[in-house]
Each structure stands twice: as C-alpha cells, then as structure tokens.
C-alpha cells in the first residue's frame, strides 16, 4: 500500500506500516470494508493491478496452492474514475505472467458490490461482456446486512444467459434466508461463506442433497467476529453433516491468513484429522470451476500426496 501510494501520489492517513496495521483490528465486516476501500485508493493504473496480482500469485504458490479462483470488485475502482479496462487488463496480464512463472492455475471471478444498486451491478456486467473469455463467473460481496441476494435477481439472470457461472456471499453476517435466496433466486453454483446455514436444519439438508459447496474462510470469520474464536467455529460440524465445505483465505493480507495459515489454524483449533484435511482439500477441487479433466488431474495429484507433509490446495477469496 505504501509503495503504490508513493508511486501514485496518494495521501494515506496512516504514517507507517505499524500504525496502519493497528487499523486491521476489525470489529465486524463494515470495519474491514472501511480500510479495504481506503487501501484500494492506491490502485490507479494497470501496472498497479498487475503488480498486486503477481505478488498474490507468487505468495499463493509458496503455499503450494495449485489452483486459485480470485475475486475482484471492479466497482471499487470504477467509482473512483479508474476505467474498467484498466482494472481487468492489469489483473489478467498479471495472472498470465504469474501462471507462466509459477506452477499454478487461476480463474477470475467478478463480484458486484451488494451495497450499491442493482442498476450499478447491471452496468458493471455490461462492461464485463467484452472480457467474458477472461472471467469465469460473477459473484456478490461487500456489506451483506440489509442487501439480500434477491435484490440482484435480474443481474444474475442476465449473467447466466451470457454464459457466466454464478456465486454469492450469503450466510456470513446475513441470515440463512440469504443462503436460500442465493440458491433459489440467483441459482448459484456455490455459496461463499454460508456458515449460518446451520441455523436452518432443512436448509442444511438441501445443501447436502445438492452437494452445494460452501467456501468457508475460518480466520476471517474470527477476525470479523462471526465466531468468537476458531475453537468455536462450526467448520468441523458442517463437514461432519455431509456438507461440501472448503477452506479459503479471504483477503489474506488484511486478515493475516493465507491458505496454509487457515488450514493449520483450524487443524490446531478443532483437532482435524488428516482424513478431514484431505477431504477439505478434495472438496475444494470438486467445487472449482476448472474443466473435468483438470479437476481429475488435481484430485489424482492430491490423492498421491496423502501421507506427505504438504498437500496441494486450491484457494479462493473476495476482493
């Protein structure tokens, strides 16, 4: 952040990295979003998005991530006057070069900001259409409370008609009803977070029957006070209930947990067995948007590492 602020002559209200890190003590999702949007201000040119993207992929590769499905929020930048093309071209160039330099595959997911209007989301979708060969899916993120998935029904219907896969944040801070709306109204292929589904047993049974993936982000759930501690997290119960639960990083630079930290932290806090860890990793490949052949290759690779110290992992996250 400081490097890009200097490059682009953007003033930051924090004078040092130490001072800035103090602002990372979040009390809820909105307190995170406040600093997230402030940090995004330093991203101005295609080079900035390129540098940030390549830095992330290098870091993910160090954790033995084999496949990453990366969320980006173009409205965060276009509303500041940064052209849509600048955002997408910088990120996709970064992904292309990072893939060639690291043993990792990547896909890109465009997310709409749910605290903005459905009309703004539709306009963003229109801007994305020329880049549909570089974007595998659309999603829904940002402030969940008071912004139900049904608000974006028409946008997601248009996205599906244009050939995009669909995902949505639901049931993190919002109620289980938001998960059901994401399923029935948005017709999503997977639920991001979804941890509050446990409050509705009938919903859990439906998610199990449909083998609907949940991209659970344990460290960020604790950082955002969704759970008081990792020891109180419901991930193991969700997994035991038969849900297709996955572990993901979710803005790792802000929440202090890349994918390995998330796996290690929940294993330590919940006492997960090696088989449970393997199942979580396998679920992630099952839930990914790669082709069937690529999925099979990743799962075969994972099965071949059972008993080894490190297992290949996918990774997804917002922003």
């Amino acid at each position: 952040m400081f490097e890009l602020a200097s490059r682009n002559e953007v003033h930051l209200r924090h004078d040092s990295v130490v001072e800035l890190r103090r602002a990372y003590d979040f009390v809820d999702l909105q307190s995170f979003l406040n600093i997230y949007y402030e940090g995004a201000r330093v991203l101005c040119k295609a080079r900035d998005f390129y540098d940030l993207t390549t830095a992330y992929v290098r870091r993910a590769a160090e954790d033995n991530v084999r496949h990453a499905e990366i969320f980006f929020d173009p409205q965060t930048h276009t509303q500041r006057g940064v052209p849509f093309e600048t955002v997408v071209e910088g990120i996709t160039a970064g992904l292309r070069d990072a893939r060639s330099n690291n043993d990792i595959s990547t896909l890109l997911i465009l997310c709409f900001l749910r605290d903005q209007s459905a009309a703004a989301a539709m306009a963003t979708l229109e801007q994305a259409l020329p880049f549909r060969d570089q974007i595998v899916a659309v999603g829904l993120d940002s402030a969940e409370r008071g912004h139900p998935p049904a608000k974006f029904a028409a946008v997601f219907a248009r996205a599906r008609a244009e050939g995009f896969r669909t995902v949505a944040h639901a049931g993190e801070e919002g109620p289980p009803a938001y998960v059901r709306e994401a399923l029935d109204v948005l017709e999503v292929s997977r639920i991001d977070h979804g941890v509050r589904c446990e409050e509705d047993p009938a919903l859990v049974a439906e998610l199990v029957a449909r083998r609907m993936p949940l991209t659970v982000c344990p460290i960020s759930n604790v950082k955002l006070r969704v759970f008081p501690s990792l020891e109180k997290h419901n991930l193991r119960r969700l997994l035991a209930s038969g849900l297709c639960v996955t572990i993901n990083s979710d803005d790792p630079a802000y929440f202090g947990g890349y994918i390995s930290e998330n796996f290690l932290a929940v294993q330590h806090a919940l006492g997960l067995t090696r088989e449970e860890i393997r199942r979580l990793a396998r679920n992630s490949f099952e839930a990914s948007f790669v082709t069937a052949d690529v999925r099979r290759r990743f799962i075969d690779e994972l099965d071949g590492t059972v008993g080894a110290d490190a297992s290949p992992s996918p990774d997804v996250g917002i922003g």
Side-chain angles (χ1 to χ4, degrees):
M1 189 186 301
F2 281 93
E3 177 185 343
L4 296 179
S6 176
R7 176 195 294 177
N8 294 317
E9 299 181 342
V10 174
H11 173 72
L12 297 176
R13 62 186 174 93
H14 302 94
D15 294 326
S16 68
V17 171
V18 172
E19 182 183 341
L20 175 61
R21 286 196 181 280
R22 294 195 190 105
Y24 285 31
D25 185 15
F26 310 118
V27 297
D28 56 15
L29 179 59
Q30 189 58 54
S31 64
F32 154 68
L33 291 171
N34 291 341
I35 190 67
Y36 167 76
Y37 290 130
E38 181 179 352
R41 292 172 49 244
V42 305
L43 298 164
C44 303
K45 303 180 178 67
R47 178 188 171 192
D48 305 329
F49 292 95
Y50 175 92
D51 288 348
L52 190 63
T53 301
T54 54
Y56 165 73
V57 175
R58 283 196 304 270
R59 179 64 180 80
E62 290 174 3
D63 274 7
N64 203 27
V65 171
R66 301 293 288 109
H67 175 67
E69 297 188 353
I70 301 168
F71 293 159
F72 77 112
D73 300 331
Q75 290 163 283
T76 298
H77 312 292
T78 55
Q79 66 187 4
R80 299 183 292 111
V82 179
F84 185 96
E85 295 77 8
T86 296
V87 179
V88 177
E89 290 170 2
I91 293 173
T92 55
L95 292 178
R96 182 181 62 248
D97 290 353
R99 283 194 298 264
S100 65
N101 295 321
N102 300 276
D103 190 16
I104 186 172
S105 75
T106 62
L107 291 172
L108 193 59
I109 298 174
L110 181 158
C111 279
F112 305 114
L113 300 183
R114 67 197 307 154
D115 54 342
Q116 296 192 16
S117 68
M122 187 69 82
T124 300
L125 177 60
E126 294 280 357
Q127 290 177 300
L129 294 181
F131 302 93
R132 74 183 77 195
D133 61 330
Q134 299 174 66
I135 300 170
V136 69
V138 300
L140 195 62
D141 64 14
S142 192
E144 188 179 2
R145 290 175 181 162
H147 301 286
K151 172 181 173 181
F152 298 91
V155 180
F156 274 66
R158 172 74 185 282
R160 293 193 306 273
E162 295 288 352
F164 293 102
R165 304 290 291 271
T166 56
V167 301
H169 285 49
E172 180 191 19
E173 288 197 319
Y178 282 16
V179 177
R180 190 169 293 282
E181 279 191 16
L183 294 174
D184 297 342
V185 179
L186 303 189
E187 300 182 27
V188 296
S189 298
R190 67 183 182 222
I191 297 291
D192 299 316
H193 295 291
V195 291
R196 291 190 61 188
C197 70
E198 191 179 43
E199 300 169 24
D200 182 345
L203 175 60
V204 171
E206 182 177 345
L207 292 169
V208 171
R210 294 173 64 163
R211 193 63 181 161
M212 177 62 59
L214 305 182
T215 62
V216 177
C217 305
I219 288 179
S220 84
N221 286 162
V222 174
K223 291 281 189 178
L224 297 179
R225 314 296 174 88
V226 178
F227 296 94
S229 68
L230 279 174
E231 287 77 12
K232 299 294 185 181
H233 202 287
N234 66 356
L235 181 142
R236 193 174 199 179
R237 291 198 305 273
L238 296 176
L239 187 65
S241 72
L243 286 163
C244 185
V245 181
T246 70
I247 289 181
N248 310 274
S249 64
D250 194 4
D251 291 289
Y254 284 102
F255 296 127
Y258 284 82
I259 196 68
S260 285
E261 285 94 342
N262 274 272
F263 269 94
L264 290 167
V266 295
Q267 191 284 325
H268 177 74
L270 302 178
L272 298 180
T273 66
R274 181 175 291 275
E275 170 55 27
E276 286 171 322
I277 292 289
R278 187 199 67 80
R279 199 187 325 159
L280 287 163
R282 186 185 179 98
N283 286 350
S284 295
F285 289 118
E286 179 184 330
S288 70
F289 291 150
V290 296
T291 64
D293 288 345
V294 172
R295 180 179 297 106
R296 183 72 259 168
R297 175 167 58 84
F298 280 138
I299 291 176
D300 287 346
E301 182 181 352
L302 172 66
D303 291 344
T305 64
V306 172
D309 289 336
S311 296
S313 304
D315 191 18
V316 299
I318 71 168

